[in-house]
Coordinates of all heavy atoms in Angstrom, one line a residue:
M88 N -61.2 230.7 -114.5 CA -60.0 230.2 -115.1 C -59.7 228.8 -114.6 O -59.8 228.5 -113.4 CB -58.8 231.1 -114.8 CG -57.5 230.6 -115.2 SD -56.2 231.8 -115.2 CE -55.5 231.5 -116.8
K89 N -59.5 227.8 -115.5 CA -59.3 226.4 -115.1 C -57.9 226.2 -114.5 O -57.7 225.4 -113.6 CB -59.4 225.6 -116.3 CG -60.8 225.5 -116.8 CD -61.2 224.0 -116.9 CE -62.6 224.0 -117.5 NZ -63.3 223.0 -116.8
L90 N -56.9 227.0 -114.9 CA -55.5 226.8 -114.4 C -55.4 227.6 -113.1 O -55.7 228.8 -113.0 CB -54.5 227.4 -115.4 CG -53.1 227.3 -115.0 CD1 -52.6 225.8 -115.0 CD2 -52.2 228.0 -116.0
A91 N -55.0 226.8 -112.0 CA -54.7 227.5 -110.8 C -53.4 228.3 -110.8 O -52.6 228.1 -111.7 CB -54.6 226.4 -109.7
K92 N -53.3 229.2 -109.9 CA -52.1 230.0 -109.8 C -50.9 229.0 -109.7 O -50.9 228.1 -108.9 CB -52.1 230.9 -108.6 CG -50.9 231.9 -108.6 CD -51.1 232.9 -107.5 CE -49.8 233.8 -107.5 NZ -49.8 234.7 -106.4
L93 N -49.8 229.3 -110.4 CA -48.6 228.4 -110.4 C -48.0 228.6 -109.0 O -47.9 229.6 -108.5 CB -47.7 228.8 -111.5 CG -48.2 228.6 -112.9 CD1 -47.1 229.1 -113.9 CD2 -48.5 227.2 -113.2
P94 N -47.4 227.5 -108.5 CA -46.7 227.5 -107.3 C -45.4 228.2 -107.4 O -44.9 228.3 -108.5 CB -46.5 226.0 -106.9 CG -46.5 225.3 -108.3 CD -47.4 226.1 -109.1
D95 N -44.8 228.5 -106.3 CA -43.4 229.1 -106.3 C -42.5 228.1 -106.8 O -42.4 226.9 -106.4 CB -43.1 229.5 -104.8 CG -41.7 230.2 -104.8 OD1 -41.1 230.5 -105.8 OD2 -41.2 230.4 -103.6
R96 N -41.7 228.5 -107.8 CA -40.8 227.6 -108.5 C -39.3 228.1 -108.3 O -38.4 227.6 -109.0 CB -41.1 227.5 -110.0 CG -42.5 226.8 -110.2 CD -42.9 226.8 -111.6 NE -42.7 228.0 -112.4 CZ -43.6 229.1 -112.4 NH1 -44.6 229.0 -111.6 NH2 -43.4 230.1 -113.1
T97 N -39.1 228.9 -107.3 CA -37.8 229.4 -107.0 C -37.0 228.3 -106.4 O -37.4 227.8 -105.3 CB -37.8 230.6 -106.1 OG1 -38.7 231.6 -106.6 CG2 -36.5 231.2 -105.8
P98 N -35.9 227.9 -107.0 CA -35.1 226.8 -106.4 C -34.5 227.2 -105.0 O -34.3 228.4 -104.7 CB -33.9 226.7 -107.3 CG -34.3 227.4 -108.6 CD -35.3 228.4 -108.2
V99 N -34.5 226.3 -104.1 CA -33.9 226.5 -102.8 C -32.6 225.7 -102.7 O -32.6 224.5 -102.9 CB -34.9 226.0 -101.7 CG1 -34.3 226.1 -100.3 CG2 -36.3 226.7 -101.8
R100 N -31.6 226.5 -102.3 CA -30.2 225.8 -102.2 C -30.1 225.3 -100.8 O -30.4 226.0 -99.8 CB -29.1 226.8 -102.5 CG -27.7 226.3 -102.4 CD -26.7 227.2 -102.8 NE -26.6 227.3 -104.3 CZ -26.0 226.4 -105.1 NH1 -25.4 225.4 -104.6 NH2 -25.9 226.6 -106.4
M101 N -29.6 224.1 -100.7 CA -29.4 223.5 -99.4 C -28.0 222.9 -99.4 O -27.6 222.3 -100.4 CB -30.4 222.4 -99.0 CG -31.8 222.9 -98.9 SD -32.8 221.5 -98.4 CE -33.8 222.3 -97.2
N102 N -27.2 223.1 -98.4 CA -25.9 222.4 -98.2 C -26.1 221.2 -97.3 O -26.7 221.3 -96.2 CB -24.9 223.4 -97.7 CG -24.7 224.6 -98.6 OD1 -24.5 224.4 -99.8 ND2 -24.6 225.8 -98.0
L103 N -25.5 220.1 -97.7 CA -25.6 218.9 -97.0 C -24.3 218.4 -96.6 O -23.3 218.5 -97.4 CB -26.3 217.8 -97.8 CG -27.7 218.1 -98.2 CD1 -28.2 216.9 -99.2 CD2 -28.7 218.2 -97.1
V104 N -24.2 217.8 -95.4 CA -23.0 217.1 -95.0 C -23.3 215.6 -94.9 O -24.3 215.3 -94.2 CB -22.5 217.6 -93.6 CG1 -21.3 216.8 -93.2 CG2 -22.2 219.1 -93.7
L105 N -22.6 214.8 -95.7 CA -23.0 213.4 -95.8 C -21.9 212.6 -95.1 O -20.7 212.9 -95.2 CB -23.1 213.0 -97.3 CG -24.1 213.7 -98.1 CD1 -24.0 213.3 -99.6 CD2 -25.5 213.6 -97.6
A106 N -22.3 211.5 -94.6 CA -21.3 210.5 -94.1 C -20.6 209.9 -95.3 O -21.2 209.8 -96.4 CB -22.0 209.4 -93.4
P107 N -19.3 209.6 -95.2 CA -18.6 209.1 -96.3 C -19.2 207.8 -96.9 O -19.2 207.7 -98.2 CB -17.2 208.7 -95.7 CG -17.1 209.6 -94.5 CD -18.5 209.7 -94.0
S108 N -19.8 207.0 -96.1 CA -20.5 205.8 -96.7 C -21.7 206.2 -97.5 O -21.9 205.5 -98.6 CB -20.9 204.9 -95.6 OG -21.8 205.5 -94.7
L109 N -22.4 207.2 -97.2 CA -23.6 207.6 -98.0 C -23.1 208.3 -99.3 O -23.7 208.0 -100.3 CB -24.5 208.5 -97.2 CG -25.7 209.1 -97.9 CD1 -26.6 207.9 -98.5 CD2 -26.5 210.0 -97.0
A110 N -22.1 209.1 -99.2 CA -21.5 209.7 -100.4 C -21.1 208.7 -101.4 O -21.3 208.8 -102.6 CB -20.4 210.6 -100.0
K111 N -20.4 207.6 -100.8 CA -20.0 206.5 -101.7 C -21.2 205.8 -102.4 O -21.2 205.6 -103.6 CB -19.2 205.5 -100.9 CG -18.7 204.3 -101.7 CD -17.8 203.4 -100.8 CE -17.2 202.3 -101.6 NZ -18.0 201.1 -101.6
R112 N -22.2 205.6 -101.6 CA -23.4 204.9 -102.2 C -24.1 205.8 -103.2 O -24.6 205.3 -104.2 CB -24.4 204.6 -101.0 CG -23.9 203.5 -100.1 CD -24.9 203.2 -99.0 NE -26.1 202.6 -99.6 CZ -27.2 202.6 -98.8 NH1 -27.3 203.0 -97.6 NH2 -28.3 202.0 -99.4
L113 N -24.1 207.1 -103.0 CA -24.7 208.0 -104.0 C -23.9 208.0 -105.3 O -24.4 208.0 -106.4 CB -24.8 209.4 -103.4 CG -25.9 209.6 -102.4 CD1 -25.8 210.9 -101.7 CD2 -27.3 209.4 -103.1
R114 N -22.5 208.0 -105.2 CA -21.7 207.9 -106.4 C -21.9 206.6 -107.1 O -22.0 206.5 -108.3 CB -20.2 208.0 -106.0 CG -19.8 209.5 -105.7 CD -18.3 209.7 -105.5 NE -17.7 208.8 -104.5 CZ -17.6 209.2 -103.2 NH1 -18.1 210.4 -102.8 NH2 -17.1 208.4 -102.3
E115 N -22.1 205.5 -106.3 CA -22.4 204.2 -107.0 C -23.7 204.2 -107.6 O -23.9 203.6 -108.7 CB -22.3 203.1 -105.9 CG -20.9 202.8 -105.4 CD -20.9 201.9 -104.1 OE1 -22.0 201.6 -103.5 OE2 -19.8 201.5 -103.8
Y116 N -24.7 204.9 -107.0 CA -26.0 205.0 -107.6 C -25.9 205.8 -108.9 O -26.6 205.4 -109.9 CB -27.0 205.7 -106.6 CG -28.4 205.5 -107.1 CD1 -29.2 204.4 -106.7 CD2 -29.0 206.5 -107.8 CE1 -30.5 204.3 -107.1 CE2 -30.4 206.4 -108.2 CZ -31.1 205.3 -107.9 OH -32.4 205.2 -108.3
A117 N -25.1 206.8 -108.9 CA -25.0 207.6 -110.2 C -24.3 206.8 -111.3 O -24.7 206.9 -112.4 CB -24.1 208.9 -109.9
D118 N -23.4 205.9 -110.9 CA -22.8 205.0 -111.9 C -23.8 204.0 -112.4 O -23.9 203.7 -113.6 CB -21.6 204.2 -111.2 CG -20.4 205.1 -110.9 OD1 -20.4 206.2 -111.5 OD2 -19.6 204.7 -110.1
F119 N -24.7 203.5 -111.5 CA -25.7 202.6 -111.9 C -26.7 203.3 -112.8 O -27.2 202.7 -113.8 CB -26.4 202.0 -110.6 CG -27.6 201.2 -110.9 CD1 -27.5 200.0 -111.6 CD2 -28.9 201.5 -110.4 CE1 -28.6 199.2 -111.9 CE2 -30.0 200.7 -110.6 CZ -29.8 199.5 -111.4
Y120 N -27.0 204.5 -112.5 CA -27.9 205.3 -113.4 C -27.3 205.4 -114.8 O -28.0 205.2 -115.8 CB -28.1 206.7 -112.8 CG -29.0 207.6 -113.6 CD1 -30.4 207.7 -113.3 CD2 -28.5 208.4 -114.6 CE1 -31.2 208.5 -114.1 CE2 -29.3 209.2 -115.4 CZ -30.7 209.3 -115.1 OH -31.5 210.1 -115.9
A121 N -26.0 205.7 -114.8 CA -25.4 205.9 -116.1 C -25.4 204.5 -116.9 O -25.6 204.5 -118.1 CB -23.9 206.3 -115.9
E122 N -25.2 203.4 -116.2 CA -25.2 202.1 -116.9 C -26.6 201.8 -117.4 O -26.8 201.3 -118.5 CB -24.8 201.0 -115.9 CG -23.4 201.0 -115.5 CD -23.1 200.0 -114.4 OE1 -24.0 199.1 -114.1 OE2 -22.1 200.1 -113.7
T123 N -27.6 202.2 -116.6 CA -29.0 201.9 -117.0 C -29.5 202.8 -118.1 O -30.1 202.3 -119.1 CB -29.9 202.1 -115.7 OG1 -29.5 201.3 -114.7 CG2 -31.4 201.8 -116.1
Y124 N -29.2 204.1 -118.1 CA -29.8 205.0 -119.0 C -28.8 205.5 -120.1 O -29.2 206.2 -121.0 CB -30.4 206.2 -118.3 CG -31.6 205.8 -117.5 CD1 -31.6 205.8 -116.1 CD2 -32.8 205.3 -118.1 CE1 -32.6 205.4 -115.4 CE2 -33.9 204.9 -117.4 CZ -33.8 205.0 -116.0 OH -34.9 204.5 -115.2
G125 N -27.5 205.2 -119.9 CA -26.5 205.6 -120.9 C -26.2 207.1 -120.9 O -25.6 207.6 -121.8
S126 N -26.5 207.7 -119.8 CA -26.1 209.1 -119.7 C -25.6 209.4 -118.2 O -26.3 209.0 -117.3 CB -27.2 210.1 -120.0 OG -28.2 210.1 -119.0
K127 N -24.4 210.0 -118.1 CA -23.8 210.2 -116.8 C -24.4 211.5 -116.3 O -24.4 212.5 -116.9 CB -22.3 210.3 -117.0 CG -21.6 210.5 -115.7 CD -20.2 210.0 -115.8 CE -19.4 210.3 -114.5 NZ -20.0 209.6 -113.3
E128 N -24.8 211.4 -115.0 CA -25.3 212.6 -114.3 C -24.6 212.7 -113.0 O -24.2 211.7 -112.4 CB -26.8 212.4 -114.0 CG -27.7 212.3 -115.1 CD -27.9 213.6 -115.9 OE1 -27.6 214.6 -115.4 OE2 -28.4 213.5 -117.1
E129 N -24.3 214.0 -112.6 CA -23.7 214.2 -111.4 C -24.6 213.9 -110.2 O -25.8 214.0 -110.3 CB -23.3 215.7 -111.3 CG -22.2 216.2 -112.3 CD -20.9 215.5 -112.1 OE1 -20.5 215.3 -111.0 OE2 -20.3 215.1 -113.1
V130 N -24.0 213.4 -109.1 CA -24.7 213.1 -107.9 C -25.6 214.2 -107.5 O -26.8 214.0 -107.2 CB -23.8 212.6 -106.8 CG1 -24.6 212.5 -105.5 CG2 -23.1 211.4 -107.1
A131 N -25.1 215.4 -107.5 CA -25.9 216.6 -107.1 C -27.1 216.8 -108.0 O -28.2 217.3 -107.5 CB -25.0 217.9 -107.1
E132 N -27.1 216.4 -109.2 CA -28.3 216.5 -110.1 C -29.3 215.4 -109.8 O -30.5 215.6 -110.0 CB -27.8 216.4 -111.6 CG -27.0 217.5 -112.1 CD -27.8 218.8 -112.1 OE1 -29.0 218.8 -112.4 OE2 -27.2 219.9 -111.7
L133 N -28.8 214.3 -109.3 CA -29.7 213.1 -109.0 C -30.4 213.3 -107.7 O -31.5 212.8 -107.5 CB -28.9 211.8 -109.1 CG -28.4 211.4 -110.4 CD1 -27.6 210.1 -110.3 CD2 -29.6 211.2 -111.4
I134 N -29.7 213.9 -106.7 CA -30.3 213.9 -105.3 C -31.7 214.4 -105.2 O -32.5 213.8 -104.6 CB -29.3 214.7 -104.4 CG1 -28.1 213.8 -104.2 CG2 -30.0 215.0 -103.1 CD1 -27.0 214.5 -103.4
P135 N -32.0 215.6 -105.9 CA -33.4 216.0 -105.7 C -34.5 215.0 -106.2 O -35.5 214.8 -105.6 CB -33.5 217.3 -106.6 CG -32.1 217.8 -106.6 CD -31.2 216.5 -106.6
F136 N -34.1 214.3 -107.3 CA -35.0 213.3 -107.9 C -35.1 212.1 -107.0 O -36.1 211.4 -106.8 CB -34.6 213.0 -109.3 CG -34.8 214.2 -110.2 CD1 -33.6 214.9 -110.5 CD2 -36.0 214.5 -110.7 CE1 -33.8 216.1 -111.3 CE2 -36.1 215.7 -111.5 CZ -35.0 216.4 -111.8
I137 N -34.0 211.7 -106.4 CA -33.9 210.6 -105.4 C -34.8 210.9 -104.2 O -35.6 210.1 -103.8 CB -32.5 210.3 -105.0 CG1 -31.6 209.8 -106.2 CG2 -32.5 209.3 -103.8 CD1 -30.2 209.7 -105.9
L138 N -34.7 212.1 -103.7 CA -35.5 212.5 -102.5 C -37.0 212.5 -102.9 O -37.8 212.1 -102.1 CB -35.0 213.8 -102.0 CG -33.6 213.8 -101.4 CD1 -33.2 215.3 -101.0 CD2 -33.6 213.0 -100.1
E139 N -37.3 213.1 -104.1 CA -38.7 213.1 -104.5 C -39.3 211.7 -104.6 O -40.4 211.5 -104.2 CB -38.8 213.9 -105.8 CG -40.2 214.2 -106.1 CD -40.4 215.3 -107.2 OE1 -39.4 215.4 -108.0 OE2 -41.4 215.9 -107.3
A140 N -38.5 210.8 -105.3 CA -39.0 209.5 -105.4 C -39.2 208.8 -104.1 O -40.2 208.1 -103.9 CB -38.0 208.7 -106.3
F141 N -38.3 209.0 -103.2 CA -38.4 208.5 -101.8 C -39.7 209.0 -101.2 O -40.5 208.2 -100.6 CB -37.2 208.8 -101.0 CG -37.3 208.4 -99.5 CD1 -37.1 207.1 -99.1 CD2 -37.7 209.4 -98.6 CE1 -37.2 206.8 -97.8 CE2 -37.9 209.0 -97.3 CZ -37.7 207.7 -96.9
L142 N -39.9 210.3 -101.2 CA -41.1 210.8 -100.5 C -42.4 210.3 -101.2 O -43.4 210.0 -100.5 CB -41.1 212.4 -100.5 CG -40.0 213.0 -99.7 CD1 -39.9 214.5 -99.9 CD2 -40.2 212.7 -98.2
D143 N -42.4 210.3 -102.5 CA -43.5 209.8 -103.3 C -43.8 208.3 -103.0 O -45.0 207.9 -103.1 CB -43.3 210.0 -104.8 CG -43.4 211.4 -105.2 OD1 -43.9 212.3 -104.4 OD2 -43.0 211.7 -106.3
S144 N -42.9 207.5 -102.6 CA -43.1 206.1 -102.4 C -43.3 205.8 -100.9 O -43.6 204.6 -100.6 CB -41.9 205.3 -102.9 OG -40.7 205.6 -102.0
D145 N -43.3 206.7 -100.0 CA -43.5 206.5 -98.6 C -45.0 206.5 -98.3 O -45.6 207.6 -98.2 CB -42.8 207.6 -97.8 CG -42.8 207.3 -96.3 OD1 -43.8 206.8 -95.8 OD2 -41.8 207.5 -95.6
A146 N -45.6 205.4 -98.2 CA -47.1 205.3 -98.0 C -47.6 206.0 -96.7 O -48.6 206.7 -96.7 CB -47.5 203.8 -98.0
D147 N -46.8 205.9 -95.6 CA -47.2 206.5 -94.4 C -47.2 208.0 -94.5 O -48.1 208.7 -94.1 CB -46.3 206.1 -93.2 CG -46.5 204.7 -92.8 OD1 -47.6 204.1 -93.1 OD2 -45.6 204.1 -92.2
Y148 N -46.2 208.6 -95.2 CA -46.1 210.0 -95.4 C -47.2 210.5 -96.3 O -47.9 211.5 -96.0 CB -44.7 210.3 -96.0 CG -44.6 211.8 -96.3 CD1 -44.5 212.8 -95.3 CD2 -44.5 212.2 -97.7 CE1 -44.3 214.1 -95.7 CE2 -44.4 213.5 -98.0 CZ -44.3 214.5 -97.0 OH -44.2 215.8 -97.3
K149 N -47.5 209.8 -97.4 CA -48.6 210.2 -98.3 C -49.9 210.1 -97.6 O -50.8 211.0 -97.8 CB -48.6 209.3 -99.5 CG -47.5 209.6 -100.5 CD -47.2 208.6 -101.6 CE -48.4 208.2 -102.3 NZ -48.1 207.3 -103.5
S150 N -50.1 209.1 -96.7 CA -51.4 209.0 -95.9 C -51.5 210.2 -95.0 O -52.6 210.8 -94.9 CB -51.4 207.7 -95.1 OG -52.5 207.7 -94.3
K151 N -50.5 210.6 -94.3 CA -50.5 211.8 -93.4 C -50.8 213.1 -94.2 O -51.6 213.9 -93.8 CB -49.2 212.0 -92.7 CG -49.3 213.2 -91.7 CD -48.1 213.3 -90.9 CE -48.1 214.5 -90.0 NZ -49.0 215.5 -90.1
Q152 N -50.2 213.2 -95.4 CA -50.4 214.4 -96.3 C -51.9 214.4 -96.6 O -52.5 215.5 -96.6 CB -49.6 214.3 -97.5 CG -48.1 214.4 -97.3 CD -47.7 215.7 -96.6 OE1 -47.5 215.8 -95.4 NE2 -47.6 216.8 -97.4
K153 N -52.5 213.3 -97.0 CA -53.9 213.3 -97.4 C -54.8 213.7 -96.2 O -55.7 214.4 -96.3 CB -54.4 211.9 -97.8 CG -54.0 211.6 -99.3 CD -54.5 210.2 -99.7 CE -54.1 209.9 -101.1 NZ -54.6 208.5 -101.4
D154 N -54.5 213.1 -95.0 CA -55.2 213.5 -93.8 C -55.1 215.0 -93.5 O -56.1 215.6 -93.1 CB -54.7 212.7 -92.6 CG -55.1 211.2 -92.6 OD1 -56.0 210.9 -93.4 OD2 -54.5 210.4 -91.8
D155 N -53.9 215.5 -93.6 CA -53.7 216.9 -93.3 C -54.5 217.8 -94.3 O -55.1 218.8 -93.9 CB -52.2 217.3 -93.4 CG -51.4 216.8 -92.2 OD1 -52.0 216.2 -91.2 OD2 -50.2 216.8 -92.3
K156 N -54.5 217.4 -95.6 CA -55.2 218.1 -96.6 C -56.8 218.0 -96.3 O -57.5 219.0 -96.5 CB -54.9 217.6 -98.0 CG -55.4 218.4 -99.1 CD -55.0 217.8 -100.5 CE -53.6 218.2 -100.8 NZ -53.2 217.9 -102.1
R157 N -57.2 216.9 -95.9 CA -58.6 216.6 -95.6 C -59.1 217.5 -94.4 O -60.1 218.1 -94.5 CB -58.9 215.2 -95.4 CG -60.3 214.8 -95.5 CD -60.5 213.3 -95.3 NE -59.3 212.5 -95.0 CZ -58.8 211.5 -95.8 NH1 -59.5 211.2 -96.9 NH2 -57.8 210.9 -95.5
K158 N -58.2 217.6 -93.4 CA -58.5 218.4 -92.2 C -58.6 219.8 -92.6 O -59.4 220.6 -92.1 CB -57.5 218.1 -91.1 CG -57.6 216.8 -90.4 CD -56.5 216.6 -89.4 CE -56.5 215.2 -88.9 NZ -55.4 214.9 -88.0
K159 N -57.6 220.3 -93.4 CA -57.6 221.7 -93.8 C -58.8 222.0 -94.6 O -59.4 223.0 -94.4 CB -56.3 222.0 -94.6 CG -56.2 223.4 -95.0 CD -54.9 223.6 -95.8 CE -54.8 225.1 -96.2 NZ -53.6 225.3 -97.0
S160 N -59.2 221.1 -95.5 CA -60.4 221.3 -96.4 C -61.6 221.4 -95.5 O -62.5 222.2 -95.7 CB -60.5 220.2 -97.4 OG -61.6 220.4 -98.2
S161 N -61.7 220.5 -94.5 CA -62.8 220.5 -93.6 C -62.9 221.8 -92.8 O -64.0 222.4 -92.7 CB -62.7 219.3 -92.7 OG -63.7 219.3 -91.7
R162 N -61.8 222.3 -92.4 CA -61.8 223.6 -91.6 C -62.2 224.7 -92.5 O -63.0 225.6 -92.1 CB -60.4 223.9 -91.0 CG -60.1 223.1 -89.8 CD -58.9 223.6 -89.1 NE -57.8 223.7 -89.9 CZ -56.8 222.8 -90.0 NH1 -56.8 221.8 -89.2 NH2 -55.8 223.0 -90.8
L163 N -61.7 224.8 -93.7 CA -62.1 225.8 -94.7 C -63.6 225.7 -95.1 O -64.2 226.8 -95.2 CB -61.2 225.8 -95.9 CG -59.8 226.1 -95.8 CD1 -59.0 225.9 -97.1 CD2 -59.6 227.6 -95.3
G164 N -64.1 224.5 -95.2 CA -65.5 224.3 -95.6 C -66.4 224.9 -94.5 O -67.4 225.5 -94.8
S165 N -66.0 224.6 -93.2 CA -66.9 225.1 -92.1 C -66.8 226.6 -92.0 O -67.7 227.2 -91.5 CB -66.5 224.4 -90.8 OG -65.2 224.8 -90.4
L166 N -65.7 227.2 -92.5 CA -65.6 228.7 -92.4 C -66.3 229.4 -93.6 O -66.6 230.6 -93.5 CB -64.1 229.1 -92.4 CG -63.4 228.7 -91.2 CD1 -61.9 229.1 -91.3 CD2 -63.9 229.4 -89.9
Q167 N -66.6 228.7 -94.7 CA -67.2 229.3 -95.8 C -68.6 229.8 -95.5 O -69.1 230.7 -96.1 CB -67.2 228.3 -97.0 CG -65.9 228.2 -97.6 CD -65.9 227.2 -98.8 OE1 -66.7 226.4 -98.9 NE2 -64.9 227.3 -99.7
G168 N -69.3 229.1 -94.6 CA -70.7 229.5 -94.3 C -70.7 230.8 -93.5 O -71.8 231.5 -93.3
L169 N -69.6 231.2 -92.9 CA -69.5 232.5 -92.2 C -69.3 233.7 -93.1 O -68.5 233.6 -94.0 CB -68.4 232.4 -91.1 CG -68.5 231.2 -90.1 CD1 -67.3 231.3 -89.3 CD2 -69.7 231.3 -89.3
R170 N -70.0 234.8 -92.8 CA -69.8 235.9 -93.6 C -69.3 237.1 -92.8 O -69.6 237.2 -91.6 CB -71.1 236.4 -94.3 CG -71.5 235.5 -95.4 CD -72.6 236.3 -96.2 NE -73.9 235.6 -95.8 CZ -75.1 236.1 -96.2 NH1 -75.2 237.2 -96.9 NH2 -76.2 235.5 -95.8
E171 N -68.5 237.9 -93.4 CA -68.0 239.1 -92.7 C -69.2 240.0 -92.5 O -70.0 240.2 -93.5 CB -67.0 239.8 -93.5 CG -65.7 239.0 -93.7 CD -64.8 239.1 -92.4 OE1 -64.9 240.2 -91.8 OE2 -64.1 238.2 -92.2
P172 N -69.5 240.6 -91.4 CA -70.7 241.5 -91.2 C -70.7 242.6 -92.2 O -71.7 243.0 -92.7 CB -70.5 242.0 -89.8 CG -69.7 241.0 -89.1 CD -68.8 240.4 -90.1
A173 N -69.5 243.2 -92.5 CA -69.5 244.3 -93.5 C -69.9 243.9 -94.9 O -70.3 244.7 -95.7 CB -68.1 245.0 -93.5
N174 N -69.7 242.6 -95.2 CA -70.1 242.2 -96.6 C -71.5 241.6 -96.6 O -71.9 241.2 -97.7 CB -69.1 241.1 -97.0 CG -67.7 241.6 -97.2 OD1 -67.5 242.8 -97.4 ND2 -66.7 240.8 -97.0
D175 N -72.2 241.6 -95.5 CA -73.6 241.0 -95.5 C -74.5 242.0 -96.0 O -74.8 243.1 -95.4 CB -73.9 240.6 -94.1 CG -75.2 239.8 -94.0 OD1 -76.0 239.9 -94.9 OD2 -75.4 239.1 -93.0
P176 N -75.1 241.8 -97.2 CA -76.1 242.8 -97.8 C -77.3 243.0 -96.9 O -77.9 244.0 -97.0 CB -76.4 242.2 -99.2 CG -76.1 240.8 -99.1 CD -75.0 240.6 -98.1
G177 N -77.7 242.0 -96.1 CA -78.8 242.2 -95.2 C -78.6 243.0 -94.0 O -79.5 243.3 -93.2
L178 N -77.3 243.3 -93.7 CA -77.0 244.0 -92.5 C -77.1 245.5 -92.7 O -76.5 246.0 -93.6 CB -75.5 243.6 -92.1 CG -75.0 244.2 -90.8 CD1 -75.9 243.6 -89.6 CD2 -73.6 243.8 -90.6
K179 N -77.8 246.2 -91.9 CA -78.0 247.6 -91.9 C -77.2 248.2 -90.8 O -77.4 247.9 -89.6 CB -79.5 248.0 -91.8 CG -80.4 247.4 -92.8 CD -80.4 248.2 -94.0 CE -81.5 247.6 -94.9 NZ -81.2 247.5 -96.3
L180 N -76.3 249.1 -91.1 CA -75.5 249.8 -90.1 C -76.0 251.2 -89.9 O -76.4 251.9 -90.7 CB -74.0 249.8 -90.4 CG -73.3 248.4 -90.5 CD1 -71.9 248.5 -90.9 CD2 -73.4 247.7 -89.1

């Protein structure tokens, strides 16, 4: 099958406490969004996309993610050559 198993898509609720200055900046950003795109969105609706855009644009974070994935792939690759004794057709018990 070409399609991999779909990831967990269950939303996770998080409660945040923001400094008043950050809350004000987020409201201003929501206003700027409305001016730019002509549709008003609540700050709470924008926050997940703001966070995702931030993480996607952080080069150091993306580099670490690639390194971690490469290390994990390397460990899995070295384990693929190992077989469980019970599954080895050449093994006579």
